[in-house]
Amino acid sequence: MPTPPVTRTGSRRMRVDASRNRERLLASATAAFAEHGADVSLDEIADRAGVSIATLYRHFPSRESLLEETLRDQLEALGTKARDLLSSPSPGDALETWLRAMLDQAVAYRGLPGPLKVILESESSDLSSVCVRVNAPAAELLVRAQQAGAVRTDIEFRDLIDLVSGIAWAADQTLAPDRAQRLLSLVICALRCDADGGSTRAAAGKPEPSHR
Amino acid sequence: MPTPPVTRTGSRRMRVDASRNRERLLASATAAFAEHGADVSLDEIADRAGVSIATLYRHFPSRESLLEETLRDQLEALGTKARDLLSSPSPGDALETWLRAMLDQAVAYRGLPGPLKVILESESSDLSSVCVRVNAPAAELLVRAQQAGAVRTDIEFRDLIDLVSGIAWAADQTLAPDRAQRLLSLVICALRCDADGGSTRAAAGKPEPSHR
DNA sequence: ACCTGAACACCGTTCAAGT
DNA sequence: ACCTGAACACCGTTCAAGT
């Protein structure tokens, strides 16, 4: 067997020890984030994985890159959920369901709302990035809800990311993640309250909200 | 003149050099917070004030205590504004005006939303604390708006603090404090959208918003 | 190619020694 | 009573030296 012991991650060959260290780091990071929050020291993650801190840096150049990798599956799940909801019969409810799922993810552990906001708002040049696979269908959910007259048309997708992230952050700060869904109910109401004047699915026509 | 050179801060006598150092620290901190945000290193504040870091700790045992002191005037102004607005003819508009003022304060410089949230939510045992002088009249604004039927009755004051703080945080994270007021417009709409069905002052019974 | 110990910088916090 | 230099702990980050 002349071929060296390698494996693949993405499209790059890796030495087996490197690949194993990478996996150990990811497992260690997942546990550490869940236990101590997204601000846990990188030293502790490396220690738990049984590797040097320098090795951690070699595999993951930034805390964010490590965090994003540990969230990959959940982010993909959020994207899939958005795509599935696109065929749901009620566009307004579909959007709400997705926003609540995103919020649940955002408060999964302490300190996550900030990094998650960054990840979701990063416009990666790599079009196949997770971020796009989440945002594209989710933004579509918003458009569909607006076209159905279920949500105000003056709302942009980034407004939703900001509002949900902000709520998640506030709940996280108070160490009361259970408050998050309640606060989101209020925001959901805001999205719908002024939705439309005429069409089938619409809420009743209302006066303009008071912008100043 | 047998009396020692002292001054008063609060109700405690202080040596003149101590009092001067305290003032220098406050001035230095005000400038540093505005320039580098609420996370600026305490070392830099002490350096700029021309005192040792240990002296900073002697006067202000925590970053938050220093921050709160530099915000004292602005917090008092928020309290006064709330009291003034209590005699405004439109309770709904009065509440909105105050929320917008609070939001402006929250995004005054980077990193402020977090500490400000803590300050406003701290239930100090000292009843004369700034926090109470802000929260008491502001909470009254909410009650008044609810009694006038301008705001949903299922909203608590802490919901408002959390929502406004969350919006401020989101805008701060994106380095786009100008987005804050726009996001608040949406939340304001949520407060009002279901407020009332008929009578002038009474909040009519309404269906629950969609909690899940 | 990859891993590691070690160094460096920075920051928060505390304290013994001064006046 | 107050101030200070100095020490300590902790963390992020980088790099020369190993295999």
Side-chain angles (χ1 to χ4, degrees):
Chain A
M1 297 200 290
T3 50
V6 295
T7 183
R8 285 173 177 277
T9 298
S11 58
R12 306 259 310 126
R13 284 164 185 273
M14 287 181 76
R15 239 164 57 178
V16 281
D17 57 338
S19 170
R20 192 196 53 196
N21 282 344
R22 202 188 124 94
E23 290 311 309
R24 283 190 183 170
L25 281 165
L26 281 176
S28 163
T30 301
F33 287 143
E35 187 171 349
H36 299 294
D39 297 327
V40 68
S41 93
L42 297 178
D43 261 305
E44 182 167 333
I45 294 177
D47 281 351
R48 282 215 227 181
V51 303
S52 155
I53 177 67
T55 299
L56 184 151
Y57 273 93
R58 165 165 263 268
H59 286 283
F60 306 97
S62 66
R63 174 186 297 269
E64 199 191 302
S65 65
L66 176 56
L67 196 50
E68 183 169 348
E69 214 55 46
T70 67
L71 291 177
R72 180 172 291 275
D73 291 347
Q74 288 95 317
L75 291 174
E76 293 291 359
L78 273 184
T80 302
K81 181 151 202 165
R83 271 185 298 277
D84 290 348
L85 284 166
L86 274 172
S87 54
S88 150
S90 168
D93 290 346
L95 178 63
E96 171 169 351
T97 299
W98 187 83
L99 291 175
R100 292 195 182 277
M102 175 194 151
L103 182 57
D104 276 333
Q105 178 59 52
V107 295
Y109 48 82
R110 272 181 300 145
L112 186 52
L116 186 63
K117 180 178 191 295
V118 171
I119 290 172
L120 290 179
E121 284 174 349
S122 72
E123 306 188 355
S124 170
S125 56
D126 178 2
L127 280 194
S128 73
S129 81
V130 196
C131 159
V132 172
R133 282 201 298 281
V134 178
N135 283 338
E140 202 58 38
L141 278 177
L142 171 61
V143 171
R144 199 172 72 113
Q146 287 172 325
Q147 287 171 344
V151 165
R152 305 168 35 158
T153 55
D154 61 344
I155 290 183
E156 305 170 19
F157 184 64
R158 52 195 296 231
D159 295 334
L160 297 186
I161 299 292
D162 278 350
L163 287 169
V164 174
S165 297
I167 285 172
W169 173 84
D172 186 49
Q173 287 294 108
T174 323
L175 300 181
D178 48 305
R179 271 177 63 72
Q181 295 291 345
R182 168 184 165 82
L183 293 173
L184 181 54
S185 296
L186 295 176
V187 167
I188 299 275
C189 172
L191 304 185
R192 300 187 141 155
C193 70
D194 243 6
D196 190 288
S199 81
T200 321
R201 312 189 156 275
K206 286 282 180 172
E208 283 281 300
S210 57
H211 298 248
R212 73 159 173 184
Chain B
M1 294 200 293
T3 50
V6 296
T7 182
R8 284 171 178 276
T9 297
S11 59
R12 306 259 310 129
R13 284 164 185 273
M14 287 180 75
R15 239 162 60 177
V16 280
D17 57 338
S19 170
R20 194 195 52 196
N21 283 343
R22 202 189 125 93
E23 289 309 310
R24 283 189 182 171
L25 280 165
L26 281 176
S28 164
T30 301
F33 287 142
E35 187 170 349
H36 299 294
D39 298 325
V40 67
S41 91
L42 297 178
D43 260 304
E44 182 168 332
I45 293 177
D47 282 349
R48 283 216 225 178
V51 303
S52 154
I53 179 65
T55 300
L56 184 151
Y57 273 92
R58 164 165 267 268
H59 286 284
F60 305 99
S62 67
R63 175 185 295 270
E64 198 191 305
S65 67
L66 176 56
L67 196 50
E68 183 168 348
E69 212 56 46
T70 67
L71 291 177
R72 181 172 288 277
D73 290 349
Q74 287 95 315
L75 290 174
E76 292 291 359
L78 273 184
T80 302
K81 182 153 202 160
R83 269 185 297 278
D84 290 348
L85 284 165
L86 274 172
S87 54
S88 151
S90 168
D93 291 346
L95 177 63
E96 172 170 353
T97 299
W98 186 83
L99 290 175
R100 292 196 182 279
M102 177 194 150
L103 183 57
D104 277 333
Q105 177 59 51
V107 295
Y109 49 82
R110 272 181 301 145
L112 187 51
L116 187 62
K117 180 176 190 298
V118 172
I119 290 172
L120 289 179
E121 283 174 347
S122 72
E123 307 188 353
S124 169
S125 57
D126 179 359
L127 280 194
S128 73
S129 81
V130 195
C131 158
V132 173
R133 283 202 296 281
V134 177
N135 283 337
E140 201 59 37
L141 279 176
L142 171 61
V143 171
R144 200 172 71 115
Q146 288 172 323
Q147 286 172 344
V151 165
R152 304 166 37 157
T153 54
D154 61 344
I155 290 181
E156 304 171 18
F157 184 63
R158 52 194 296 229
D159 295 334
L160 298 186
I161 299 292
D162 278 350
L163 287 168
V164 175
S165 297
I167 285 173
W169 174 85
D172 186 49
Q173 287 295 109
T174 323
L175 299 181
D178 47 306
R179 272 178 61 71
Q181 295 291 343
R182 167 182 165 80
L183 294 174
L184 182 53
S185 296
L186 295 176
V187 168
I188 298 275
C189 174
L191 304 186
R192 297 186 145 157
C193 69
D194 245 7
D196 192 289
S199 84
T200 322
R201 314 201 146 269
K206 281 287 175 177
E208 286 277 299
S210 58
H211 300 248
R212 72 160 176 185

